[in-house]
Amino acid sequence: MSQLDDKINQHFAGLVVRKDLVKTVKGNAIVPTYVLEYLLGQYCATNDEATIQAGIDTVREILRKHYVHRNEAGLVRSTIKEKGRHKVIDRISVALNDKSDAYEAEFANLGIKKVIIDSATVKAHPKLLVGGVWCIADLEYMFTEDKNATPWVLASIKPIQLSHFDFDAYLAARKQFSTEEWIDLLIQSVGFNPQMFGKRNKLSQLVRLIPFCERNFNLIELGPKGTGKSHIFSEFSPHGILISGGEVTVPKLFVHNGTGKLGLVGYWDVVAFDEFAGKQKRVDKALVDIMKNYMANKSFSRGVETLGAEASMVFVGNTDHTVPHMLKHSDLFDPLPEKFHDSAFLDRIHSYIPGWEVDVIRGEMFSSGYGFVVDYLAEILRALRNHDFSDRYKAHFKLSDDISTRDRDGINKTFSGLMKVIYPHGEASAEEIEALLRAAIEGRKRVKDQLLRIDSTYPAVRFTYIDQQGNERAVTTLEEEEYPAAYHQRITAEAAADPGSEVVASVQAADSPTAALKPEPVNAVSTTALPTIPTLKEQHLVFQENQRGVAFDKLFGPYLVGAKRIIVTDPYLRMFHQQRNLMELLETISRNSKPEDEVAVHVVTVEDEFSGDRQTENFEKMAAACTSVGIQFSWAYDTSGTKHDRDITTDHGWKIVLSRGLDVFQRCELNDAFSFANRMQQHRQCKEFNVTFVRLQ
């Protein structure tokens, strides 16, 4: 186990489980993660390997005996009949039969209906009436001659969720973890390996948790397929429900005027709409109107009566086009059905997660470390709904007066949710608070900037905040930094009518709300500037996490032209992807050298403690490859104490100081020959890093 796993087991003994166990025991059972982890938490919440293996066997046996597979439902029904009584794990929903004045249960997988259930049980577990709940139930079979009676009798029922938890102990244990450790623990709890995500992507994963701990939080995430957008909402918590966007009706979501039956928002903490995108989807305008009112006022009307609810609304869907295409021809809400592509509806959304920044989920991205039993974390997040952290930044920062009340509400709710998730004990430094505030502002800014493109009546907003010294700081979205020309275009009526048109109305740079506030320190350039002409100058470049468009040819190439000897110092050239980065730098050097010239490249690095032989073998392969292209490649393992230096020095007077060495790209699938990210650097997402070019002569 890692040091973090040891620490997790020390402070949360019995409340955590090894995340790879879920896949180990799941097999072909179509059962939510929180159900499996509920069982694993009963038998495997330990770091003792023998106990874990025994617990896995027990859980497997429970699933084998009691979980109902639909294709084996007949066998299970026969077992109940022959034994007279049997325990099953199934999703149970309840409906009121007003003719017989009785509640009747339906077992989804077992395939039986009209099982009588007493009123007290329904009152104790009202979610049985809406959407159904996974339960462990004792079923009895008692044959009767009465044709109107059912032979199935529900002896007992136990919803699969945590019975109790100590909230104060949770807060006390949180104080034992650093911010980085706690975020990694949460990422592992969601089921992912934190080593595969940068800070920005980790934060995006945690924003997905806000609807569970913040009442009436409206969130949208649009992005490519396969990025895990709906995972948290389908399997993470028994307090959330995921429904298909095409299955939504006013009675199902809010209230049935005929029967008075309350809809989903009255019973669930989170209602998430899967597959929400799709321009051709038919949408009931009445549904859009009532959703607008609910998302703005937390209430909805039933005839003359107005009802309130606390359910957060989440919308997830797939994009059909790239970000620059959407910015050029329409907006970032482009995939939505026409009736939802409405400025009044979209203005109710508090935050927009850029799903295109999240990598497609691969097997190596899943965690094998320890994380909270998700049902425990779900209960903690639910308890946090009673807290309000929205004012915690006001001791250090103030939002600009230009920000409207609705924008301010979105920022405050997102900030409050992130504080609850990461700092539930309320202890955070000014720098840590600022990072969350900037993330909250960016999420709302992404919504508002698109509204400016959709509806010209919206005024431009300066999304800035002010520190205690009175300095005003601007916040930009990453796509604004990557595609500034397209981002600040206003789509004309002709272009909106014809998606293939390129008729756009340009907005001058001065009209950008943050244009005047972008920092331009001495010897520095903006975050997306890259040398595009061979005019060399001393400068400092800063790159954000998830930024694309970076390539060694553009970044380093002009500064390597004409060099005869180049020294690369980087202690982290150990793993395969790091050595591959070095090979790509050698390609850049080759492309910027004349065929008749030879260049000596010397690498200074640190020998890998465990895989030094493989590291050396790869360097030897590089040296052999370089001989045919006029590069004299050599390397040395440094032991002199310069292990922290990361730079490229040339013999014609330039030193390029690298904050992260050459390891500036996020990991991609290296074995996929048909991936552009694998083959072309500019299509890869970056880590956060900076580069300084210094003239030595």
Side-chain angles (χ1 to χ4, degrees):
M1 293 194 301
S2 68
Q3 289 184 345
L4 177 59
D5 287 335
D6 283 333
K7 196 170 184 177
I8 292 170
N9 275 282
Q10 176 186 348
H11 295 287
F12 290 102
L15 298 170
V16 293
V17 68
R18 221 176 68 203
K19 289 296 171 172
D20 58 335
L21 299 183
V22 175
K23 287 196 291 185
T24 301
V25 302
K26 189 167 187 176
N28 62 348
I30 306 174
V31 59
T33 298
Y34 66 82
V35 174
L36 290 176
E37 290 201 11
Y38 174 86
L39 296 172
L40 290 169
Q42 306 295 307
Y43 302 99
C44 303
T46 176
N47 60 349
D48 179 70
E49 193 62 34
T51 305
I52 287 174
Q53 291 304 318
I56 288 175
D57 293 339
T58 302
V59 172
R60 279 176 169 161
E61 186 67 8
I62 290 172
L63 289 174
R64 186 184 68 80
K65 285 185 175 180
H66 304 293
Y67 174 75
V68 180
H69 294 269
R70 289 188 179 183
N71 58 350
E72 297 178 354
L75 178 61
V76 176
R77 291 196 295 267
S78 174
T79 300
I80 299 171
K81 176 184 181 301
E82 297 302 325
K83 292 173 60 177
R85 182 175 181 138
H86 184 63
K87 195 184 296 291
V88 298
I89 299 174
D90 201 352
R91 187 178 184 89
I92 302 174
S93 57
V94 173
L96 174 64
N97 186 333
D98 51 7
K99 293 182 179 179
S100 61
D101 190 30
Y103 288 106
E104 297 176 346
E106 178 178 350
F107 288 68
N109 289 354
L110 192 56
I112 60 174
K113 302 178 180 179
K114 298 184 178 182
V115 181
I116 302 299
I117 181 171
D118 64 280
S119 298
T121 301
V122 176
K123 288 179 181 178
H125 309 292
K127 287 181 184 175
L128 288 166
L129 291 164
V130 188
V133 177
W134 281 90
C135 304
I136 299 174
D138 266 329
L139 262 180
E140 297 179 356
Y141 184 88
M142 298 177 62
F143 181 73
T144 173
E145 297 287 348
D146 186 354
K147 293 183 179 180
N148 295 321
T150 177
W152 306 103
V153 179
L154 187 59
S156 67
I157 184 173
K158 184 179 186 301
I160 293 179
Q161 56 191 82
L162 202 67
S163 58
H164 68 280
F165 63 95
D166 188 339
F167 185 72
D168 292 333
Y170 175 82
L171 298 183
R174 163 63 184 95
K175 296 178 182 179
Q176 307 305 314
F177 292 78
S178 68
T179 298
E180 291 74 18
E181 289 174 333
W182 186 253
I183 289 175
D184 285 356
L185 166 55
L186 293 172
I187 296 298
Q188 288 187 178
S189 298
V190 174
F192 293 124
N193 178 1
Q195 304 302 317
M196 302 300 296
F197 296 85
K199 291 180 183 178
R200 185 176 170 88
N201 275 349
K202 288 178 184 178
L203 211 56
S204 292
Q205 295 288 341
L206 298 185
V207 171
R208 292 173 174 173
L209 299 180
I210 295 178
F212 293 100
C213 66
E214 191 73 23
R215 292 189 177 104
N216 301 103
F217 183 73
N218 306 320
L219 176 69
I220 191 167
E221 180 175 1
L222 301 175
K225 298 177 182 178
T227 55
K229 294 184 291 294
S230 61
H231 165 73
I232 283 178
F233 307 107
S234 65
E235 301 200 339
F236 179 76
S237 170
H239 304 304
I241 186 169
L242 180 73
I243 57 178
S244 171
E247 297 176 358
V248 186
T249 61
V250 172
K252 181 175 182 178
L253 192 57
F254 293 103
V255 68
H256 193 293
N257 282 337
T259 64
K261 182 180 177 182
L262 201 58
L264 297 172
V265 298
Y267 294 94
W268 297 91
D269 291 350
V270 180
V271 178
F273 300 83
D274 196 11
E275 300 173 0
F276 188 67
K279 283 182 173 294
Q280 307 307 318
K281 286 189 176 180
R282 298 178 60 185
V283 178
D284 182 4
K285 187 177 185 301
L287 174 65
V288 179
D289 291 338
I290 196 171
M291 285 179 71
K292 286 181 193 176
N293 186 59
Y294 173 74
M295 291 166 67
N297 305 315
K298 310 171 189 176
S299 62
F300 54 94
S301 298
R302 175 194 167 222
V304 296
E305 184 181 7
T306 299
L307 303 174
E310 300 178 352
S312 294
M313 308 284 269
V314 180
F315 309 95
V316 296
N318 296 327
T319 52
D320 299 319
H321 304 289
T322 63
V323 172
H325 183 281
M326 288 189 287
L327 290 176
K328 182 176 181 180
H329 297 289
S330 55
D331 56 78
L332 296 181
F333 288 114
D334 176 66
L336 299 186
E338 182 181 350
K339 287 188 173 63
F340 283 115
H341 197 271
D342 172 68
S343 59
F345 170 79
L346 298 174
D347 199 16
R348 269 76 170 170
I349 293 173
H350 297 126
S351 188
Y352 185 150
I353 298 176
W356 49 85
E357 292 187 27
V358 182
D359 205 356
V360 175
I361 302 302
R362 307 185 300 274
E364 63 188 23
M365 298 171 73
F366 292 106
S367 174
S368 59
Y370 282 80
F372 291 122
V373 174
V374 290
D375 195 38
Y376 169 70
L377 183 56
E379 295 300 325
I380 292 293
L381 293 175
R382 191 180 203 205
L384 284 165
R385 291 170 78 87
N386 297 320
H387 298 251
D388 181 13
F389 284 26
S390 61
D391 62 346
R392 297 301 175 95
Y393 67 85
K394 294 181 180 178
H396 305 282
F397 307 101
K398 174 190 173 185
L399 293 179
S400 166
D401 292 336
D402 291 348
I403 297 177
S404 69
T405 300
R406 183 162 284 172
D407 293 332
R408 197 176 295 264
D409 288 345
I411 293 167
N412 287 342
K413 289 180 78 69
T414 306
F415 173 80
S416 176
L418 285 173
M419 280 291 294
K420 291 177 186 180
V421 171
I422 303 175
Y423 305 105
H425 54 318
E427 298 176 8
S429 67
E431 292 76 14
E432 291 169 332
I433 286 174
E434 183 177 15
L436 300 192
L437 180 61
R438 291 186 67 89
I441 294 174
E442 182 183 343
R444 176 58 188 178
K445 184 181 190 297
R446 184 170 287 107
V447 174
K448 195 58 175 281
D449 285 353
Q450 302 314 302
L451 289 176
L452 296 178
R453 302 165 70 92
I454 295 171
D455 189 339
S456 60
T457 63
Y458 280 93
V461 180
R462 292 161 57 88
F463 280 90
T464 64
Y465 61 97
I466 303 162
D467 63 20
Q468 288 183 311
Q469 289 71 43
N471 300 314
E472 192 172 18
R473 306 183 186 182
V475 176
T476 59
T477 66
L478 181 55
E479 56 272 15
E480 181 178 8
E481 296 287 344
E482 288 183 306
Y483 315 106
Y487 194 88
H488 294 294
Q489 289 173 347
R490 295 286 182 91
I491 306 301
T492 65
E494 300 94 296
D498 179 9
S501 170
E502 296 187 5
V503 181
V504 294
S506 298
V507 175
Q508 298 298 319
D511 292 336
S512 169
T514 58
L517 291 167
K518 286 188 179 180
E520 194 69 30
V522 178
N523 293 330
V525 297
S526 63
T527 56
T528 53
L530 285 173
T532 57
I533 57 175
T535 301
L536 306 184
K537 61 180 179 179
E538 291 189 313
Q539 57 182 329
H540 180 68
L541 304 179
V542 179
F543 298 89
Q544 296 187 51
E545 183 180 327
N546 291 344
Q547 187 169 334
R548 289 185 173 90
V550 176
F552 288 171
D553 284 355
K554 283 186 177 181
L555 189 59
F556 305 133
Y559 290 85
L560 302 178
V561 174
K564 301 300 182 186
R565 180 170 173 78
I566 300 171
I567 299 176
V568 180
T569 304
D570 186 345
Y572 294 100
L573 296 173
R574 309 172 187 179
M575 301 178 69
F576 176 79
H577 73 277
Q578 294 169 337
Q579 291 188 299
R580 172 179 149 140
N581 288 336
L582 174 60
M583 187 65 191
E584 290 179 335
L585 177 66
L586 293 171
E587 292 174 10
T588 293
I589 293 172
S590 176
R591 277 191 286 268
N592 285 277
S593 302
K594 296 179 181 179
E596 64 271 19
D597 292 339
E598 288 192 345
V599 182
V601 178
H602 182 66
V603 171
V604 181
T605 188
V606 175
E607 185 173 12
D608 189 280
E609 183 179 357
F610 303 103
S611 303
D613 291 343
R614 183 179 299 173
Q615 183 184 18
T616 299
E617 181 183 349
N618 288 339
F619 283 142
E620 290 172 346
K621 290 179 179 178
M622 289 184 205
C626 284
T627 56
S628 63
V629 295
I631 296 177
Q632 299 172 355
F633 179 82
S634 60
W635 75 95
Y637 292 129
D638 176 62
T639 57
S640 64
T642 59
K643 294 181 180 180
H644 300 292
D645 293 347
R646 298 175 178 87
D647 56 61
I648 301 171
T649 306
T650 72
D651 63 345
H652 64 343
W654 285 100
K655 183 172 185 176
I656 306 171
V657 182
L658 311 168
S659 65
R660 301 191 65 103
L662 298 177
D663 193 7
V664 301
F665 298 109
Q666 296 185 29
R667 293 188 188 181
C668 58
E669 181 51 67
L670 297 177
N671 295 322
D672 187 356
F674 305 104
S675 164
F676 280 100
N678 180 25
R679 303 182 66 86
M680 301 172 71
Q681 289 180 328
Q682 60 266 37
H683 290 292
R684 298 175 199 164
Q685 289 181 312
C686 289
K687 300 175 181 177
E688 183 179 5
F689 74 101
N690 59 75
V691 182
T692 304
F693 298 86
V694 181
R695 194 185 297 274
L696 300 178
Q697 298 178 355

